Amino acid sequence: QVQLVESGGGLVQAGGSLRLSCAASGRTFSSYNMGWFRQAPGKEREFVAAISWRSTTYYANSVKGRFTISRDNAKNTVYLQMNSLKPEDTAVYYCARGDTVPTMTSLVGYWGQGTQVTVSS
């Protein structure tokens, strides 16, 4: 069974940093296309960042230059380094896997359970 487990969320002041981790099950992690999405109260789930099986990266304009997605295939883990956090970054962040690079929700085949990120002003 495919399992994606996020960790690293929490409370941080504006301007601070957090690093989210997503641990994935399976023996073929190196071939996975991975991504991060987020959903704030009253808003639709939106794309944040993605990384292909060849480690090409993609970012939403709202986080470009502040967030960095990376992967460690030896640990079956994808990371989201979040710097210069803003209150509008507050959301539940979800790890995702897709058969193609998951830059939109319709491309996601598997979701993690989510981890809360709260940024105070």
Side-chain angles (χ1 to χ4, degrees), residues 39-56:
Q39 188 166 22
K43 299 180 67 177
E44 293 187 0
R45 192 168 299 185
E46 66 175 354
F47 168 73
V48 175
I51 184 166
S52 74
W53 67 276
R54 300 198 68 180
S55 294
T56 301

Side-chain angles (χ1 to χ4, degrees), residues 16-112:
S17 298
L18 285 173
R19 189 177 79 157
L20 306 183
S21 298
C22 173
S25 65
R27 300 188 183 97
T28 58
F29 179 80
S30 62
S31 67
Y32 293 174
N33 299 293
M34 304 295 297
W36 289 94
F37 291 74
R38 66 187 183 187
Q39 188 166 22
K43 299 180 67 177
E44 293 187 0
R45 192 168 299 185
E46 66 175 354
F47 168 73
V48 175
I51 184 166
S52 74
W53 67 276
R54 300 198 68 180
S55 294
T56 301
T57 57
Y58 307 82
Y59 298 95
N61 288 334
S62 59
V63 306
K64 195 171 298 182
R66 300 188 297 120
F67 291 11
T68 302
I69 189 170
S70 62
R71 65 193 301 160
D72 185 339
N73 291 339
K75 296 181 179 180
N76 282 14
T77 301
V78 62
Y79 304 96
L80 185 68
Q81 178 67 46
M82 305 185 294
N83 298 326
S84 302
L85 283 162
K86 305 174 181 179
E88 51 263 45
D89 294 319
T90 295
V92 176
Y93 282 70
Y94 296 91
C95 182
R97 195 196 89 176
D99 291 336
T100 58
V101 181
T103 55
M104 55 193 304
T105 56
S106 63
L107 298 177
V108 175
Y110 300 92
W111 295 99

